[in-house]
Amino acid sequence: MRKEEVLKSLRGIGLVPVLRAESVDKALALAEAIAAGGVTVLEITMTVPGAIQVMRKLAEQRPDILIGAGTVLDAETARMCILEGAKFVVSPALNLQTIEMCHRYSVAVLPGALTPTEIVTAWQAGADVVKVFPASAMGGAKYLTALKGPLPQVDLIPTGGVSLATAAEFLNAGAFALGVGSDLVDAKAMAAGKPEVVTETARKYLAIVNEHRAAKNA
């Protein structure tokens, strides 16, 4: 899949679940539960034990899922993830060498930034989308609205503080897509043997995205 197609898919789904888990098997089970709800984009964080193995298995077993690598802190890790099937690379902070590596492989890169200076620096360095993290620490959707005023050309994915209660606010503020953590990637529900809880939450998020687009296009 070409980078342009990856970015189109990210915008199309409108959600990037940030998958964290204690093991490969738990990560795979979470991925299945999320995908069952119609969300076929996943960011596998490097904090997951065996994260590379998770990416490899998903790439082989679920080609319908758009797999990204998350919490990527350096160019070497980015390259390793790309070679194992990651179609986009996300980081919590700005690392220019990681952007360069992703460009070398024509892979979408979503570096993290928080201040206007960091965001513009990331954009000028070639970020395809900038991850605003942690968005909640700066006021949530109101902060995104403030950023989009002078920076309408920069695509932003807010992460941190995104929930079913706040998702619509972030979308109305101009989010390219939403980075969603534990509110969707519910490890407790999985541990309780209730993957259907995660699946239903995924459906609810998709419904919010679709309602936003319907209202915007009305």
Side-chain angles (χ1 to χ4, degrees):
M1 183 181 287
R2 294 175 61 84
K3 181 168 76 169
E4 294 76 15
E5 295 172 316
V6 169
L7 293 168
K8 184 178 179 180
S9 294
L10 289 175
R11 188 190 288 275
I13 294 291
L15 300 165
V16 182
V18 182
L19 198 155
R20 301 184 189 279
E22 298 172 354
S23 69
V24 170
D25 288 342
K26 289 180 179 179
L28 291 172
L30 266 168
E32 292 289 345
I34 293 168
V39 180
T40 53
V41 173
L42 285 174
E43 175 189 329
I44 311 299
T45 67
M46 294 307 294
T47 57
V48 175
I52 293 295
Q53 187 179 352
V54 174
M55 291 179 211
R56 186 184 304 130
K57 286 193 173 186
L58 285 175
E60 294 171 352
Q61 300 170 9
R62 293 298 303 264
D64 57 312
I65 296 177
L66 184 61
I67 303 164
T71 321
V72 175
L73 302 180
D74 54 72
E76 292 77 12
T77 302
R79 180 178 183 275
M80 181 171 58
C81 293
I82 291 167
L83 294 178
E84 292 297 341
K87 301 302 182 186
F88 62 96
V89 172
V90 188
S91 63
L94 176 59
N95 179 277
L96 299 179
Q97 290 73 35
T98 298
I99 294 177
E100 291 173 5
M101 181 64 72
C102 291
H103 282 184
R104 188 177 303 169
Y105 285 90
S106 295
V107 168
V109 59
L110 292 68
L114 188 59
T115 68
T117 298
E118 291 172 348
I119 290 167
V120 171
T121 299
W123 191 249
Q124 290 177 334
D128 295 293
V129 184
V130 179
K131 169 181 172 176
V132 180
F133 174 80
S136 58
M138 300 297 281
K142 290 181 179 179
Y143 183 56
L144 200 71
T145 300
L147 290 171
K148 291 296 287 187
L151 302 172
Q153 76 280 19
V154 181
D155 290 325
L156 303 174
I157 291 185
T159 306
V162 178
S163 67
L164 287 173
T166 63
E169 295 175 14
F170 277 110
L171 290 169
N172 289 333
F176 173 89
L178 305 175
V180 190
S182 58
D183 193 58
L184 169 56
V185 189
D186 192 341
K188 290 183 180 179
M190 297 298 293
K194 297 180 178 180
E196 66 275 7
V197 172
V198 175
T199 299
E200 182 57 29
T201 301
R203 290 196 182 105
K204 289 178 179 178
Y205 269 104
L206 278 182
I208 292 171
V209 172
N210 291 334
E211 286 172 14
H212 166 76
R213 288 178 179 160
K216 189 175 180 181
N217 296 327

